Amino acid sequence: MVAAIVVAQPKGIPMPKTKSKRKTASRASDSKTKTRNSVRRTTARKAVPLKPVTKPAAHQQPQSAPQPTVSRESKKACIIAMLRAPGGATIEAMARAAKWQPHSVRGFLAGVVRKKLGLTLVSADGENARVYRITDRTASAAA
């Protein structure tokens, strides 16, 4: 017969409580920080005198009304316009037009054109390189 040996474990040894740690001085009470903050506050409070509005002198040309600026077409819009053309565009042509690297154009086609915009992108072999173009959804759905 095997006798089970039960070893009585001693009850938990009372551990002395740790003394609470002394709190460190806050940064606000730090002498360096105080001087930095006071310098910041004083410089922030200084009033800057405004220049008085005067009429332009005779030798200066008066400022004309702001001309409406023509918004420049974005690189993304340029590439999408190239893809919407009936002939489509190659990666090299799009890279030259947008001044991007070819791998950036490929990422734009996959990430923005296909995924974000949800446009149907078709690629076909051209004479020298692969040609990409965007097809109309209604035309592709009807076919």
Side-chain angles (χ1 to χ4, degrees):
M1 208 180 324
V2 177
I5 301 175
V6 177
V7 178
Q9 294 185 353
K11 291 190 177 185
I13 300 172
M15 298 286 289
K17 291 186 178 181
T18 58
K19 295 180 181 178
S20 62
K21 292 183 179 180
R22 191 175 70 179
K23 293 184 179 180
T24 58
S26 65
R27 289 196 74 196
S29 65
D30 186 17
S31 63
K32 290 181 182 177
T33 307
K34 278 185 179 178
T35 57
R36 281 190 218 131
N37 287 340
S38 65
V39 169
R40 283 187 197 144
R41 283 189 201 117
T42 57
T43 56
R45 290 181 190 154
K46 288 183 182 176
V48 179
L50 298 174
K51 292 183 180 179
V53 179
T54 59
K55 293 183 181 179
H59 64 278
Q60 292 179 348
Q61 293 184 1
Q63 291 181 345
S64 61
Q67 298 287 334
T69 57
V70 178
S71 62
R72 195 182 64 139
E73 189 174 350
S74 68
K75 292 179 180 184
K76 294 177 182 181
C78 178
I79 291 179
I80 291 174
M82 290 174 74
L83 291 170
R84 287 190 190 274
T90 63
I91 287 187
E92 291 79 25
M94 290 183 275
R96 263 186 271 115
K99 297 178 183 171
W100 286 349
Q101 296 290 322
H103 65 273
S104 300
V105 174
R106 283 188 216 96
F108 175 75
L109 294 177
V112 175
V113 174
R114 283 189 172 151
K115 290 184 180 177
K116 280 192 174 180
L117 299 176
L119 299 172
T120 306
L121 188 67
V122 178
S123 66
D125 285 327
E127 293 177 16
N128 296 330
R130 186 163 287 279
V131 177
Y132 295 85
R133 61 187 175 88
I134 294 175
T135 59
D136 190 18
R137 283 186 166 187
T138 56
S140 63

